[in-house]
Amino acid sequence: MISSPGSGDLPPRCWAEIDLGALRHNARWCRDLAGPGCGVMAIVKADAYGHGLPEVVAALSEIADWFGVANLREARRARAASGGREQGILVLGPAAPEEVEPLVDGGFSGAVSLPEEVAAYEAAAARLGAIARLHVVIDTGMGRMGCLPDHAAELVAAIRRSPHCRLEGIASHFPSADEDRAFTLDQIARFHAIVRSLAPEEGCHVHLGNSAGLIGYHEEMAGMTLARPGLALYGISPLPDMQTDLRPVMTLKSRVTLVRDVPAGTGISYGRTFVTSRATRVATLAVGYGDGYPRHLSHSGASVLIQGRRCPLLGRVTMDQILVDVTDLPSVSRGEEAVLMGKQGGEQITTAEIAERADTIPWEILTGITSRVQRVHR
């Protein structure tokens, strides 16, 4: 195992074990699903969904053709971690004005929605004597960025007449591939038609499929040259029926720091929103919302795994600690390992379960795990 910097010789109080073998399995599965002629752009923004960007990039450097990031800082970290390999690195969101020139200078690719962005890239590339590598984003339903379909030809023309810019890709994004099949099928058809009308040059990438698009619509997206899996890389399918082929990458663990016997009528945690109805053995775990364990799990029916058995969460989640009921276990010791997310024995608590109980989505659970939680890669 490789511990995160600064972990020292002390065992961690709360840590995330990252299974790089499972990560690579998932990446190969996504590549096979994308099919021949379609590469994989591994989405590693937000510290690789909380899994550790440098370690994930290094682990995927021989599988992924591209990496997708959110900003210049992440692009630089991905390049540093790639071991000198020549994968493309696309900054998926609009570049801030001050990011444009260093993005071009670093050889990264940028996403553009408007001709004025093309002009900024052209000016920066001209100053540097370089080429700006640009991906046109077309808004086919997401509403977050991209040109409207009627303006796609104008945007592409702006790139083609800019001597220091190159049209490297044409892209769009699914807003509801995991929820609205009819809309998604129509969106795919419209995107195909737009791409045909733009007549991209040979070597220009065409990409649309996020994890849900890749898993649920790979046959309809024949002709794409890149797929952009994010969540699926980390072992979670946004389409629950397709979960069986993916392997969860992260297991979130903590330790029991205290075990106490309390009588019936004892209030537990802030607000005394839970009061024991029987004599109860309560274990304190060294994790809380300061580590990214959601406060909204309070009173949700959530549990943790100790000795391979579910132990109910009691009362409110606090910043640094949670309390669980271990009355039905034969014995529990201080320092004992508890699994908050993952497998232990024959039981499992999935990221999807935690997200559902916290009334949120798996993406937020993973990216919300804070830097206080040590990552252990193996």
Side-chain angles (χ1 to χ4, degrees):
M1 291 188 181
I2 304 171
S3 296
S4 60
S7 60
D9 296 327
L10 295 175
R13 292 165 63 88
C14 183
W15 70 103
E17 294 180 359
I18 312 299
D19 185 343
L20 297 176
L23 175 76
R24 284 188 283 262
H25 163 86
N26 298 333
R28 292 188 184 100
W29 183 82
C30 289
R31 187 181 61 189
D32 291 345
L33 193 62
C38 187
V40 168
M41 179 186 293
I43 304 304
V44 295
K45 60 183 180 176
D47 199 31
Y49 289 35
H51 292 69
L53 185 148
E55 294 84 2
V56 167
V57 167
L60 297 182
S61 63
E62 295 183 0
I63 301 173
D65 306 281
W66 282 72
F67 292 105
V69 298
N71 53 46
L72 178 63
R73 179 175 179 271
E74 290 183 344
R76 287 171 168 167
R77 294 181 71 210
R79 174 66 53 74
S82 64
R85 296 180 68 87
E86 291 299 318
Q87 286 100 340
I89 298 174
L90 174 62
V91 176
L92 296 160
E98 61 275 11
E99 290 180 323
V100 171
E101 188 162 321
L103 192 151
V104 175
D105 193 36
F108 305 119
S109 301
V112 293
S113 305
L114 301 171
E116 64 192 59
E117 292 178 289
V118 177
Y121 276 103
E122 169 64 21
R127 286 192 297 271
L128 294 165
I131 296 294
R133 301 160 56 179
L134 301 181
H135 291 234
V136 163
V137 181
I138 303 169
D139 182 4
T140 56
M142 183 68 186
R144 181 174 61 183
M145 62 179 287
C147 65
L148 294 175
D150 290 346
H151 297 158
E154 174 190 358
L155 184 57
V156 167
I159 295 174
R160 286 173 171 160
R161 64 173 175 261
S162 299
H164 295 88
C165 293
R166 183 170 85 234
L167 179 64
E168 190 177 54
I170 301 171
S172 192
H173 193 61
F174 288 125
S176 52
D178 54 342
E179 298 177 289
D180 190 336
R181 185 167 182 83
F183 179 86
T184 301
L185 289 170
D186 179 68
Q187 184 182 11
I188 294 169
R190 286 185 287 115
F191 184 65
H192 276 307
I194 294 166
V195 171
R196 286 194 298 270
S197 73
L198 296 174
E201 296 85 348
E202 185 177 353
C204 178
H205 287 290
V206 179
H207 49 106
L208 174 63
N210 57 4
S211 291
L214 173 63
I215 294 171
Y217 304 88
H218 53 277
E219 294 180 357
E220 289 82 2
M221 291 195 296
M224 303 293 168
T225 65
L226 285 175
R228 305 192 306 260
L231 193 67
L233 291 177
Y234 308 107
I236 303 164
S237 172
L239 304 174
D241 292 344
M242 298 292 290
Q243 181 61 50
T244 54
D245 293 317
L246 295 170
R247 299 177 185 173
V249 175
M250 179 186 290
T251 300
L252 183 61
K253 295 183 176 182
S254 184
R255 296 187 186 278
V256 175
T257 55
L258 191 66
V259 182
R260 299 168 60 239
D261 291 297
V262 301
T266 300
I268 302 293
S269 195
Y270 286 119
R272 300 185 73 252
T273 54
F274 180 86
V275 178
T276 59
S277 60
R278 61 171 183 169
T280 304
R281 181 170 297 137
V282 178
T284 302
L285 273 57
V287 61
Y289 60 77
D291 303 284
Y293 190 74
R295 189 173 184 271
H296 282 95
L297 288 176
S298 307
H299 306 294
S300 68
S303 57
V304 307
L305 301 179
I306 301 176
Q307 299 174 13
R309 295 176 62 179
R310 286 181 174 252
C311 299
L313 178 67
L314 301 178
R316 291 178 180 168
V317 174
T318 72
M319 184 182 293
D320 309 309
Q321 300 172 90
I322 61 173
L323 304 165
V324 300
D325 187 344
V326 294
T327 308
D328 295 333
L329 297 183
S331 64
V332 179
S333 303
R334 293 177 59 215
E336 192 161 344
E337 186 175 284
V339 170
L340 311 165
M341 181 175 72
K343 293 181 179 179
Q344 190 185 63
E347 278 282 359
Q348 180 177 14
I349 297 173
T350 65
T351 310
E353 176 187 336
I354 292 174
E356 183 178 4
R357 292 189 184 279
D359 193 25
T360 186
I361 55 177
W363 295 262
E364 185 176 19
I365 297 299
L366 293 176
T367 61
I369 296 172
T370 70
S371 59
R372 187 165 74 174
V373 176
Q374 295 183 29
R375 271 65 170 180
V376 180
H377 296 85
R378 55 184 177 88

mmCIF file with all atom_site columns, all heavy atoms in Angstrom, residues 198-217:
data_model
loop_
_atom_site.group_PDB
_atom_site.id
_atom_site.type_symbol
_atom_site.label_atom_id
_atom_site.label_alt_id
_atom_site.label_comp_id
_atom_site.label_asym_id
_atom_site.label_entity_id
_atom_site.label_seq_id
_atom_site.pdbx_PDB_ins_code
_atom_site.Cartn_x
_atom_site.Cartn_y
_atom_site.Cartn_z
_atom_site.occupancy
_atom_site.B_iso_or_equiv
_atom_site.pdbx_formal_charge
_atom_site.auth_seq_id
_atom_site.auth_comp_id
_atom_site.auth_asym_id
_atom_site.auth_atom_id
_atom_site.pdbx_PDB_model_num
ATOM 1   N N   . LEU A 1 198 ? -21.195 19.872 -40.297 1.00 0.00 ? 198 LEU A N   1
ATOM 2   C CA  . LEU A 1 198 ? -19.960 20.614 -40.075 1.00 0.00 ? 198 LEU A CA  1
ATOM 3   C C   . LEU A 1 198 ? -18.780 20.013 -40.830 1.00 0.00 ? 198 LEU A C   1
ATOM 4   O O   . LEU A 1 198 ? -17.728 20.655 -40.957 1.00 0.00 ? 198 LEU A O   1
ATOM 5   C CB  . LEU A 1 198 ? -19.637 20.660 -38.579 1.00 0.00 ? 198 LEU A CB  1
ATOM 6   C CG  . LEU A 1 198 ? -20.653 21.416 -37.711 1.00 0.00 ? 198 LEU A CG  1
ATOM 7   C CD1 . LEU A 1 198 ? -20.304 21.256 -36.234 1.00 0.00 ? 198 LEU A CD1 1
ATOM 8   C CD2 . LEU A 1 198 ? -20.705 22.892 -38.083 1.00 0.00 ? 198 LEU A CD2 1
ATOM 9   N N   . ALA A 1 199 ? -18.931 18.793 -41.316 1.00 0.00 ? 199 ALA A N   1
ATOM 10  C CA  . ALA A 1 199 ? -17.900 18.111 -42.099 1.00 0.00 ? 199 ALA A CA  1
ATOM 11  C C   . ALA A 1 199 ? -16.526 18.239 -41.464 1.00 0.00 ? 199 ALA A C   1
ATOM 12  O O   . ALA A 1 199 ? -15.616 18.855 -42.034 1.00 0.00 ? 199 ALA A O   1
ATOM 13  C CB  . ALA A 1 199 ? -17.875 18.669 -43.532 1.00 0.00 ? 199 ALA A CB  1
ATOM 14  N N   . PRO A 1 200 ? -16.350 17.685 -40.280 1.00 0.00 ? 200 PRO A N   1
ATOM 15  C CA  . PRO A 1 200 ? -15.056 17.843 -39.597 1.00 0.00 ? 200 PRO A CA  1
ATOM 16  C C   . PRO A 1 200 ? -13.916 17.193 -40.371 1.00 0.00 ? 200 PRO A C   1
ATOM 17  O O   . PRO A 1 200 ? -14.093 16.193 -41.076 1.00 0.00 ? 200 PRO A O   1
ATOM 18  C CB  . PRO A 1 200 ? -15.281 17.133 -38.259 1.00 0.00 ? 200 PRO A CB  1
ATOM 19  C CG  . PRO A 1 200 ? -16.421 16.197 -38.489 1.00 0.00 ? 200 PRO A CG  1
ATOM 20  C CD  . PRO A 1 200 ? -17.288 16.864 -39.504 1.00 0.00 ? 200 PRO A CD  1
ATOM 21  N N   . GLU A 1 201 ? -12.723 17.789 -40.232 1.00 0.00 ? 201 GLU A N   1
ATOM 22  C CA  . GLU A 1 201 ? -11.541 17.270 -40.889 1.00 0.00 ? 201 GLU A CA  1
ATOM 23  C C   . GLU A 1 201 ? -11.166 15.913 -40.307 1.00 0.00 ? 201 GLU A C   1
ATOM 24  O O   . GLU A 1 201 ? -11.514 15.584 -39.172 1.00 0.00 ? 201 GLU A O   1
ATOM 25  C CB  . GLU A 1 201 ? -10.378 18.246 -40.700 1.00 0.00 ? 201 GLU A CB  1
ATOM 26  C CG  . GLU A 1 201 ? -10.580 19.597 -41.352 1.00 0.00 ? 201 GLU A CG  1
ATOM 27  C CD  . GLU A 1 201 ? -11.348 20.586 -40.492 1.00 0.00 ? 201 GLU A CD  1
ATOM 28  O OE1 . GLU A 1 201 ? -11.939 20.152 -39.464 1.00 0.00 ? 201 GLU A OE1 1
ATOM 29  O OE2 . GLU A 1 201 ? -11.378 21.782 -40.831 1.00 0.00 ? 201 GLU A OE2 1
ATOM 30  N N   . GLU A 1 202 ? -10.435 15.140 -41.080 1.00 0.00 ? 202 GLU A N   1
ATOM 31  C CA  . GLU A 1 202 ? -9.944  13.864 -40.574 1.00 0.00 ? 202 GLU A CA  1
ATOM 32  C C   . GLU A 1 202 ? -9.069  14.106 -39.345 1.00 0.00 ? 202 GLU A C   1
ATOM 33  O O   . GLU A 1 202 ? -8.233  15.011 -39.336 1.00 0.00 ? 202 GLU A O   1
ATOM 34  C CB  . GLU A 1 202 ? -9.121  13.155 -41.649 1.00 0.00 ? 202 GLU A CB  1
ATOM 35  C CG  . GLU A 1 202 ? -8.669  11.763 -41.252 1.00 0.00 ? 202 GLU A CG  1
ATOM 36  C CD  . GLU A 1 202 ? -7.927  11.050 -42.364 1.00 0.00 ? 202 GLU A CD  1
ATOM 37  O OE1 . GLU A 1 202 ? -7.879  11.597 -43.478 1.00 0.00 ? 202 GLU A OE1 1
ATOM 38  O OE2 . GLU A 1 202 ? -7.404  9.951  -42.103 1.00 0.00 ? 202 GLU A OE2 1
ATOM 39  N N   . GLY A 1 203 ? -9.284  13.325 -38.310 1.00 0.00 ? 203 GLY A N   1
ATOM 40  C CA  . GLY A 1 203 ? -8.540  13.488 -37.068 1.00 0.00 ? 203 GLY A CA  1
ATOM 41  C C   . GLY A 1 203 ? -9.239  14.348 -36.046 1.00 0.00 ? 203 GLY A C   1
ATOM 42  O O   . GLY A 1 203 ? -8.804  14.411 -34.891 1.00 0.00 ? 203 GLY A O   1
ATOM 43  N N   . CYS A 1 204 ? -10.317 15.033 -36.454 1.00 0.00 ? 204 CYS A N   1
ATOM 44  C CA  . CYS A 1 204 ? -11.099 15.818 -35.487 1.00 0.00 ? 204 CYS A CA  1
ATOM 45  C C   . CYS A 1 204 ? -11.938 14.868 -34.642 1.00 0.00 ? 204 CYS A C   1
ATOM 46  O O   . CYS A 1 204 ? -12.685 14.045 -35.178 1.00 0.00 ? 204 CYS A O   1
ATOM 47  C CB  . CYS A 1 204 ? -12.001 16.809 -36.220 1.00 0.00 ? 204 CYS A CB  1
ATOM 48  S SG  . CYS A 1 204 ? -13.065 17.789 -35.142 1.00 0.00 ? 204 CYS A SG  1
ATOM 49  N N   . HIS A 1 205 ? -11.817 14.961 -33.335 1.00 0.00 ? 205 HIS A N   1
ATOM 50  C CA  . HIS A 1 205 ? -12.550 14.060 -32.453 1.00 0.00 ? 205 HIS A CA  1
ATOM 51  C C   . HIS A 1 205 ? -14.014 14.476 -32.321 1.00 0.00 ? 205 HIS A C   1
ATOM 52  O O   . HIS A 1 205 ? -14.347 15.670 -32.351 1.00 0.00 ? 205 HIS A O   1
ATOM 53  C CB  . HIS A 1 205 ? -11.904 14.037 -31.067 1.00 0.00 ? 205 HIS A CB  1
ATOM 54  C CG  . HIS A 1 205 ? -10.610 13.290 -31.033 1.00 0.00 ? 205 HIS A CG  1
ATOM 55  N ND1 . HIS A 1 205 ? -10.540 11.930 -31.170 1.00 0.00 ? 205 HIS A ND1 1
ATOM 56  C CD2 . HIS A 1 205 ? -9.325  13.730 -30.895 1.00 0.00 ? 205 HIS A CD2 1
ATOM 57  C CE1 . HIS A 1 205 ? -9.278  11.542 -31.104 1.00 0.00 ? 205 HIS A CE1 1
ATOM 58  N NE2 . HIS A 1 205 ? -8.520  12.608 -30.947 1.00 0.00 ? 205 HIS A NE2 1
ATOM 59  N N   . VAL A 1 206 ? -14.864 13.485 -32.168 1.00 0.00 ? 206 VAL A N   1
ATOM 60  C CA  . VAL A 1 206 ? -16.298 13.706 -31.942 1.00 0.00 ? 206 VAL A CA  1
ATOM 61  C C   . VAL A 1 206 ? -16.658 12.959 -30.670 1.00 0.00 ? 206 VAL A C   1
ATOM 62  O O   . VAL A 1 206 ? -16.426 11.743 -30.575 1.00 0.00 ? 206 VAL A O   1
ATOM 63  C CB  . VAL A 1 206 ? -17.135 13.188 -33.133 1.00 0.00 ? 206 VAL A CB  1
ATOM 64  C CG1 . VAL A 1 206 ? -18.622 13.411 -32.867 1.00 0.00 ? 206 VAL A CG1 1
ATOM 65  C CG2 . VAL A 1 206 ? -16.711 13.883 -34.430 1.00 0.00 ? 206 VAL A CG2 1
ATOM 66  N N   . HIS A 1 207 ? -17.208 13.684 -29.679 1.00 0.00 ? 207 HIS A N   1
ATOM 67  C CA  . HIS A 1 207 ? -17.473 13.007 -28.403 1.00 0.00 ? 207 HIS A CA  1
ATOM 68  C C   . HIS A 1 207 ? -18.691 13.590 -27.702 1.00 0.00 ? 207 HIS A C   1
ATOM 69  O O   . HIS A 1 207 ? -18.932 14.789 -27.717 1.00 0.00 ? 207 HIS A O   1
ATOM 70  C CB  . HIS A 1 207 ? -16.245 13.040 -27.499 1.00 0.00 ? 207 HIS A CB  1
ATOM 71  C CG  . HIS A 1 207 ? -15.570 14.360 -27.320 1.00 0.00 ? 207 HIS A CG  1
ATOM 72  N ND1 . HIS A 1 207 ? -15.674 15.107 -26.165 1.00 0.00 ? 207 HIS A ND1 1
ATOM 73  C CD2 . HIS A 1 207 ? -14.745 15.065 -28.144 1.00 0.00 ? 207 HIS A CD2 1
ATOM 74  C CE1 . HIS A 1 207 ? -14.931 16.203 -26.279 1.00 0.00 ? 207 HIS A CE1 1
ATOM 75  N NE2 . HIS A 1 207 ? -14.363 16.206 -27.467 1.00 0.00 ? 207 HIS A NE2 1
ATOM 76  N N   . LEU A 1 208 ? -19.455 12.685 -27.109 1.00 0.00 ? 208 LEU A N   1
ATOM 77  C CA  . LEU A 1 208 ? -20.717 13.008 -26.459 1.00 0.00 ? 208 LEU A CA  1
ATOM 78  C C   . LEU A 1 208 ? -20.953 12.187 -25.202 1.00 0.00 ? 208 LEU A C   1
ATOM 79  O O   . LEU A 1 208 ? -21.551 12.669 -24.236 1.00 0.00 ? 208 LEU A O   1
ATOM 80  C CB  . LEU A 1 208 ? -21.863 12.763 -27.456 1.00 0.00 ? 208 LEU A CB  1
ATOM 81  C CG  . LEU A 1 208 ? -23.310 12.890 -26.968 1.00 0.00 ? 208 LEU A CG  1
ATOM 82  C CD1 . LEU A 1 208 ? -23.594 14.314 -26.503 1.00 0.00 ? 208 LEU A CD1 1
ATOM 83  C CD2 . LEU A 1 208 ? -24.280 12.496 -28.075 1.00 0.00 ? 208 LEU A CD2 1
ATOM 84  N N   . GLY A 1 209 ? -20.476 10.950 -25.171 1.00 0.00 ? 209 GLY A N   1
ATOM 85  C CA  . GLY A 1 209 ? -20.934 9.986  -24.171 1.00 0.00 ? 209 GLY A CA  1
ATOM 86  C C   . GLY A 1 209 ? -20.244 10.083 -22.832 1.00 0.00 ? 209 GLY A C   1
ATOM 87  O O   . GLY A 1 209 ? -19.059 9.750  -22.717 1.00 0.00 ? 209 GLY A O   1
ATOM 88  N N   . ASN A 1 210 ? -20.970 10.505 -21.805 1.00 0.00 ? 210 ASN A N   1
ATOM 89  C CA  . ASN A 1 210 ? -20.525 10.360 -20.419 1.00 0.00 ? 210 ASN A CA  1
ATOM 90  C C   . ASN A 1 210 ? -20.782 8.915  -19.991 1.00 0.00 ? 210 ASN A C   1
ATOM 91  O O   . ASN A 1 210 ? -21.090 8.053  -20.817 1.00 0.00 ? 210 ASN A O   1
ATOM 92  C CB  . ASN A 1 210 ? -21.219 11.370 -19.513 1.00 0.00 ? 210 ASN A CB  1
ATOM 93  C CG  . ASN A 1 210 ? -22.738 11.264 -19.581 1.00 0.00 ? 210 ASN A CG  1
ATOM 94  O OD1 . ASN A 1 210 ? -23.305 10.389 -20.240 1.00 0.00 ? 210 ASN A OD1 1
ATOM 95  N ND2 . ASN A 1 210 ? -23.421 12.170 -18.903 1.00 0.00 ? 210 ASN A ND2 1
ATOM 96  N N   . SER A 1 211 ? -20.680 8.631  -18.695 1.00 0.00 ? 211 SER A N   1
ATOM 97  C CA  . SER A 1 211 ? -20.859 7.236  -18.252 1.00 0.00 ? 211 SER A CA  1
ATOM 98  C C   . SER A 1 211 ? -22.234 6.697  -18.625 1.00 0.00 ? 211 SER A C   1
ATOM 99  O O   . SER A 1 211 ? -22.359 5.587  -19.162 1.00 0.00 ? 211 SER A O   1
ATOM 100 C CB  . SER A 1 211 ? -20.642 7.142  -16.738 1.00 0.00 ? 211 SER A CB  1
ATOM 101 O OG  . SER A 1 211 ? -19.298 7.366  -16.405 1.00 0.00 ? 211 SER A OG  1
ATOM 102 N N   . ALA A 1 212 ? -23.283 7.472  -18.343 1.00 0.00 ? 212 ALA A N   1
ATOM 103 C CA  . ALA A 1 212 ? -24.633 6.999  -18.660 1.00 0.00 ? 212 ALA A CA  1
ATOM 104 C C   . ALA A 1 212 ? -24.826 6.837  -20.157 1.00 0.00 ? 212 ALA A C   1
ATOM 105 O O   . ALA A 1 212 ? -25.461 5.884  -20.618 1.00 0.00 ? 212 ALA A O   1
ATOM 106 C CB  . ALA A 1 212 ? -25.671 7.966  -18.087 1.00 0.00 ? 212 ALA A CB  1
ATOM 107 N N   . GLY A 1 213 ? -24.265 7.775  -20.944 1.00 0.00 ? 213 GLY A N   1
ATOM 108 C CA  . GLY A 1 213 ? -24.386 7.670  -22.392 1.00 0.00 ? 213 GLY A CA  1
ATOM 109 C C   . GLY A 1 213 ? -23.642 6.476  -22.942 1.00 0.00 ? 213 GLY A C   1
ATOM 110 O O   . GLY A 1 213 ? -24.140 5.755  -23.814 1.00 0.00 ? 213 GLY A O   1
ATOM 111 N N   . LEU A 1 214 ? -22.439 6.246  -22.428 1.00 0.00 ? 214 LEU A N   1
ATOM 112 C CA  . LEU A 1 214 ? -21.645 5.112  -22.889 1.00 0.00 ? 214 LEU A CA  1
ATOM 113 C C   . LEU A 1 214 ? -22.320 3.796  -22.547 1.00 0.00 ? 214 LEU A C   1
ATOM 114 O O   . LEU A 1 214 ? -22.413 2.883  -23.386 1.00 0.00 ? 214 LEU A O   1
ATOM 115 C CB  . LEU A 1 214 ? -20.249 5.176  -22.266 1.00 0.00 ? 214 LEU A CB  1
ATOM 116 C CG  . LEU A 1 214 ? -19.338 3.975  -22.499 1.00 0.00 ? 214 LEU A CG  1
ATOM 117 C CD1 . LEU A 1 214 ? -19.044 3.801  -23.977 1.00 0.00 ? 214 LEU A CD1 1
ATOM 118 C CD2 . LEU A 1 214 ? -18.046 4.126  -21.698 1.00 0.00 ? 214 LEU A CD2 1
ATOM 119 N N   . ILE A 1 215 ? -22.803 3.676  -21.323 1.00 0.00 ? 215 ILE A N   1
ATOM 120 C CA  . ILE A 1 215 ? -23.385 2.403  -20.880 1.00 0.00 ? 215 ILE A CA  1
ATOM 121 C C   . ILE A 1 215 ? -24.744 2.144  -21.519 1.00 0.00 ? 215 ILE A C   1
ATOM 122 O O   . ILE A 1 215 ? -25.035 1.036  -21.962 1.00 0.00 ? 215 ILE A O   1
ATOM 123 C CB  . ILE A 1 215 ? -23.501 2.395  -19.341 1.00 0.00 ? 215 ILE A CB  1
ATOM 124 C CG1 . ILE A 1 215 ? -22.103 2.398  -18.716 1.00 0.00 ? 215 ILE A CG1 1
ATOM 125 C CG2 . ILE A 1 215 ? -24.289 1.178  -18.859 1.00 0.00 ? 215 ILE A CG2 1
ATOM 126 C CD1 . ILE A 1 215 ? -22.097 2.598  -17.213 1.00 0.00 ? 215 ILE A CD1 1
ATOM 127 N N   . GLY A 1 216 ? -25.570 3.188  -21.597 1.00 0.00 ? 216 GLY A N   1
ATOM 128 C CA  . GLY A 1 216 ? -26.946 2.984  -22.045 1.00 0.00 ? 216 GLY A CA  1
ATOM 129 C C   . GLY A 1 216 ? -27.179 3.156  -23.532 1.00 0.00 ? 216 GLY A C   1
ATOM 130 O O   . GLY A 1 216 ? -28.210 2.708  -24.055 1.00 0.00 ? 216 GLY A O   1
ATOM 131 N N   . TYR A 1 217 ? -26.224 3.782  -24.250 1.00 0.00 ? 217 TYR A N   1
ATOM 132 C CA  . TYR A 1 217 ? -26.500 4.159  -25.640 1.00 0.00 ? 217 TYR A CA  1
ATOM 133 C C   . TYR A 1 217 ? -25.290 3.942  -26.554 1.00 0.00 ? 217 TYR A C   1
ATOM 134 O O   . TYR A 1 217 ? -25.164 4.604  -27.587 1.00 0.00 ? 217 TYR A O   1
ATOM 135 C CB  . TYR A 1 217 ? -26.900 5.643  -25.709 1.00 0.00 ? 217 TYR A CB  1
ATOM 136 C CG  . TYR A 1 217 ? -28.078 5.995  -24.836 1.00 0.00 ? 217 TYR A CG  1
ATOM 137 C CD1 . TYR A 1 217 ? -27.885 6.364  -23.507 1.00 0.00 ? 217 TYR A CD1 1
ATOM 138 C CD2 . TYR A 1 217 ? -29.382 5.960  -25.321 1.00 0.00 ? 217 TYR A CD2 1
ATOM 139 C CE1 . TYR A 1 217 ? -28.962 6.686  -22.684 1.00 0.00 ? 217 TYR A CE1 1
ATOM 140 C CE2 . TYR A 1 217 ? -30.463 6.279  -24.507 1.00 0.00 ? 217 TYR A CE2 1
ATOM 141 C CZ  . TYR A 1 217 ? -30.242 6.628  -23.196 1.00 0.00 ? 217 TYR A CZ  1
ATOM 142 O OH  . TYR A 1 217 ? -31.316 6.942  -22.389 1.00 0.00 ? 217 TYR A OH  1
#
